[in-house]
Amino acid sequence: MKKVVYFLGAGATKAVCSTAPLNRDLVKNALIYFQGEPEVKEIREFMKEIFKIEENYEVNNQIWNLLDYIIQQGRSISHKYTFERVSNMRNSLLSLVIRYFEQVLREVDTGVSVKFISAIEKYQPTIISTNYDIIVDNALAMRKSLNYGAKIRYAVRADDVVKEDLNKVCGFNRPWRAVQYENLNTGLVQLLKIHGSLNWIYCRKCDEVDLTMWQKGCQKTLTGIHCHNECCTNKYEPLLITPTMFKNYENRFIKETWNNAEKALIEADELVFIGYSLKEEDYQIRCLLMNALLNKPKNYDQVIVVEKEPENENDSKYLINIHREYKNLYRNVEFREIGFYNYVQSISG
């Protein structure tokens, strides 16, 4: 049986949820959506003072680079903007982005994702995803086939807390265990989310990742939810790799996910990219793909790139750039400008 790796980018999510943002629009859209909130006002004021710009300045993803650079330096940049304040501002920005995702991903056509999984699962493929959303995750969970490569510790219910007496006596707000989901880590389809996931909650003290079944639970961690492990006093935190030049992949779980992705790419006979534009700034992903090529005993039998059909001149120029980038990397590439829906139809029996 041939080994296939499916690589999903933001375009795959956009195909099943028209309101889903592309990565380049994350910060801009989140700040517009929550424009009246104090955190947004503070971020805009910060950008105005740093860059001496006008009130209507459009803040984009570059703010991640600035905030992460300051935090990486480990020092305050002024009396007003201390290291602690900048760190808090970054946490606020992350919270805004997560909340924005929760709002825009309410109306999702899950049917095409379920059909996609139904069509490919018999081949036991690997799916590598750059997306935070849990659309594919839930499609796999519906078919009792959830496997993130790196082992998830517990499935938990983020909306609930443990029995009331523990909460009162010990002061901990812990989630219930989702014991009804017995197939965690056992699925035949490996889903490798190399930038993290909205349903992953990480305990730094335990160095373990738990899963909020069917829920985008990492937002709950920003309001203070303690680890499910009754011997642990730590609070959960999100596990998301933000769109910054200073991406940190040192987390054990993330490193194992990337190692599994490289192994899958090396062993694959066929690659299918769906809605991924192979942007220049994604140099870590480029390195991952190139390193796999260097370590493969033979070339891929087939490399397929699925994109939507162009609707205007800008779309056509965008596709020309994508063609160039993929041909520079793989030489022999089959481009299918048919969109995710039609691709799923073409592989369904």
Side-chain angles (χ1 to χ4, degrees):
M1 182 171 21
K2 68 178 179 180
K3 295 184 177 180
V4 184
V5 170
Y6 295 90
F7 197 107
L8 305 184
T13 299
K14 193 78 172 173
V16 298
C17 180
S18 60
T19 56
L22 298 175
N23 285 340
R24 66 173 181 267
D25 299 323
L26 272 181
V27 169
K28 178 184 71 174
N29 290 1
L31 295 188
I32 292 173
Y33 194 91
F34 297 109
Q35 59 184 326
E37 300 198 5
E39 295 89 346
V40 174
K41 293 179 180 179
E42 182 181 33
I43 290 168
R44 291 194 178 280
E45 185 65 25
F46 172 72
M47 296 296 288
K48 179 182 177 183
E49 291 192 26
I50 293 294
F51 294 108
K52 311 295 189 273
I53 52 181
E54 300 298 327
E55 289 285 354
N56 59 353
Y57 176 76
E58 186 178 276
V59 182
N60 58 30
N61 283 359
Q62 291 300 318
I63 190 174
W64 288 118
N65 296 332
L66 175 60
L67 296 175
D68 284 348
Y69 174 77
I70 295 169
I71 292 169
Q72 189 182 77
Q73 295 300 302
R75 56 187 176 85
S76 303
I77 58 173
S78 69
H79 291 298
K80 182 176 181 179
Y81 291 107
T82 63
F83 175 81
E84 291 75 17
R85 185 173 182 183
V86 171
S87 297
N88 290 335
M89 198 182 307
R90 188 194 186 282
N91 289 337
S92 296
L93 181 59
L94 179 58
S95 176
L96 290 166
V97 167
I98 293 172
R99 287 170 56 202
Y100 177 65
F101 262 114
E102 290 186 341
Q103 292 295 323
V104 300
L105 293 177
R106 292 182 183 275
E107 299 295 330
V108 177
D109 182 359
T110 58
V112 67
S113 298
V114 172
K115 193 171 184 178
F116 172 60
I117 296 302
S118 301
I120 68 173
E121 64 180 348
K122 59 187 174 185
Y123 303 112
Q124 300 178 24
T126 294
I127 300 173
I128 300 174
S129 176
T130 63
N131 302 325
Y132 302 143
D133 65 77
I134 59 173
I135 298 170
V136 173
D137 313 50
N138 287 346
L140 286 165
M142 288 173 64
R143 301 187 67 84
K144 307 295 184 184
S145 188
L146 200 54
N147 176 6
Y148 289 105
K151 188 177 181 181
I152 296 286
R153 182 177 56 171
Y154 303 130
V156 299
R157 290 151 48 193
D159 285 340
D160 298 325
V161 296
V162 295
K163 46 193 177 180
E164 192 174 348
D165 58 339
L166 178 66
N167 199 33
K168 284 184 177 179
V169 174
C170 301
F172 295 123
N173 183 24
R174 303 187 195 273
W176 284 102
R177 182 92 169 266
V179 293
Q180 77 278 10
Y181 194 82
E182 300 173 351
N183 298 85
L184 196 61
N185 303 311
T186 63
L188 297 178
V189 178
Q190 187 175 224
L191 175 60
L192 305 177
K193 305 188 76 172
I194 57 178
H195 286 166
S197 184
L198 290 173
N199 63 344
W200 292 357
I201 53 178
Y202 175 63
C203 176
R204 188 176 296 272
K205 189 173 182 180
C206 295
D207 195 20
E208 295 284 355
V209 172
D210 294 338
L211 177 72
T212 56
M213 284 303 303
W214 312 104
Q215 301 171 309
K216 298 180 282 292
C218 70
Q219 174 62 26
K220 298 287 184 181
T221 67
L222 299 173
T223 60
I225 180 172
H226 288 88
C227 179
H228 174 77
N229 178 7
E230 293 187 10
C231 297
C232 182
T233 59
N234 200 48
K235 290 183 179 180
Y236 286 119
E237 58 189 80
L239 188 53
L240 300 175
I241 308 299
T242 53
T244 170
M245 295 296 289
F246 299 93
K247 292 182 175 72
N248 184 354
Y249 296 103
E250 291 307 306
N251 176 278
R252 175 193 64 81
F253 194 88
I254 293 293
K255 287 176 74 171
E256 188 174 347
T257 300
W258 277 73
N259 289 339
N260 288 337
E262 182 176 320
K263 182 174 183 291
L265 288 165
I266 291 171
E267 295 178 351
D269 300 306
E270 182 178 318
L271 279 184
V272 181
F273 293 89
I274 302 175
Y276 180 67
S277 58
L278 197 61
K279 301 184 293 297
E280 287 187 7
E281 57 265 34
D282 287 345
Y283 64 90
Q284 294 97 337
I285 293 178
R286 283 176 174 266
C287 289
L288 173 70
L289 299 174
M290 288 188 289
N291 197 50
L293 278 174
L294 287 171
N295 287 280
K296 281 186 68 63
K298 65 183 184 69
N299 290 331
Y300 295 107
D301 296 336
Q302 192 173 27
V303 177
I304 299 171
V305 176
V306 179
E307 284 287 340
K308 69 174 185 176
E309 184 178 355
E311 298 177 355
N312 50 50
E313 186 177 350
N314 287 336
D315 286 350
S316 298
K317 290 178 180 178
Y318 169 78
L319 287 173
I320 290 172
N321 290 333
I322 289 178
H323 286 206
R324 182 181 64 250
E325 296 297 335
Y326 275 103
K327 285 182 176 179
N328 286 341
L329 183 58
Y330 292 114
R331 304 301 177 187
N332 296 318
V333 185
E334 178 185 344
F335 295 96
R336 300 186 186 178
E337 296 166 6
I338 59 176
F340 189 31
Y341 277 97
N342 289 332
Y343 174 75
V344 171
Q345 293 285 6
S346 72
I347 64 173
S348 299

